[in-house]
Amino acid sequence: AKRMIINFNEKMGPYFDKFAEKDIKWTTAIKLASIIEREAGGPGDMPLIAGILWNRLLKNQKLEIDATIQYAMGKTNGKWWPTVRGSDIRNTDSPFNTYKFSGLPPTPIANPGISAIDAVLNPEETDCFYYLHDKSRQIHCSVTYEEHLENIEKYLN
């Protein structure tokens, strides 16, 4: 545990001032980066996802993130990070359920890498509020929920 704390402090040391410059609490940044880490298809998606999540947070919109539901569900049927179904969203009574509760979860949901932390500091500017990954892990974003539903139909069905 001591080694993990030392490693965290070494990696995060240069970031504390950067977070302060942008008026972001470092705990907020780590929680958000942990979500980005789990949601991204790879480092290239992270700035866009960060921009979308910042958009939601700044509009006081619920984050509605599947990865937070997966975290709350824990190990299910012998595997971590199970597929999330509508019933999971409705029946998961946890402060990590970002479909039910506004804002960030109480703690990080994963160990964020430097790419996710950088994305929190340098989000892509976007008008999008929604995103999904198609079966090839390509990200698609949309401005409105109606456009998001169209993307679901187009890329996931």
Side-chain angles (χ1 to χ4, degrees):
K2 234 182 210 180
R3 238 183 315 173
M4 289 174 63
I5 292 168
I6 290 168
N7 185 48
F8 177 83
N9 288 332
E10 284 176 4
K11 300 276 193 228
M12 287 299 299
Y15 286 92
F16 291 120
D17 288 340
K18 293 176 185 178
F19 294 139
E21 286 171 17
K22 293 197 175 191
D23 199 25
I24 302 170
K25 290 181 182 179
W26 73 268
T27 54
T28 297
I30 297 302
K31 289 177 198 178
L32 191 54
S34 75
I35 293 170
I36 294 164
E37 186 71 37
R38 287 294 309 144
E39 284 285 297
D45 292 350
M46 292 180 178
L48 176 58
I49 292 172
I52 291 168
L53 296 182
W54 277 122
N55 285 349
R56 291 180 189 178
L57 287 168
L58 293 172
K59 293 280 186 183
N60 293 317
Q61 181 178 331
K62 289 180 182 165
L63 290 178
E64 299 183 338
I65 301 292
D66 286 358
T68 64
I69 300 289
Q70 291 170 319
Y71 179 83
M73 291 170 62
K75 197 170 189 178
T76 306
N77 296 326
K79 73 176 206 176
W80 291 100
W81 309 108
T83 301
V84 174
R85 307 200 186 296
S87 60
D88 298 323
I89 293 167
R90 289 186 299 279
N91 298 327
T92 302
D93 189 25
S94 166
F96 290 91
N97 186 339
T98 56
Y99 285 85
K100 288 185 177 181
F101 299 99
S102 297
L104 291 165
T107 65
I109 63 164
N111 183 23
I114 296 298
S115 295
I117 294 166
D118 284 335
V120 170
L121 283 167
N122 303 296
E124 183 175 318
E125 279 194 40
T126 180
D127 292 330
C128 292
F129 279 82
Y130 304 92
Y131 64 94
L132 59 80
H133 288 89
D134 64 22
K135 293 171 184 165
S136 301
R137 309 266 310 143
Q138 178 68 40
I139 194 167
H140 303 276
C141 77
S142 51
V143 176
T144 67
Y145 185 66
E146 291 74 23
E147 290 172 356
H148 181 61
L149 293 175
E150 290 172 15
N151 281 347
I152 290 171
E153 188 63 35
K154 182 175 181 179
Y155 297 111
L156 299 181
N157 292 330

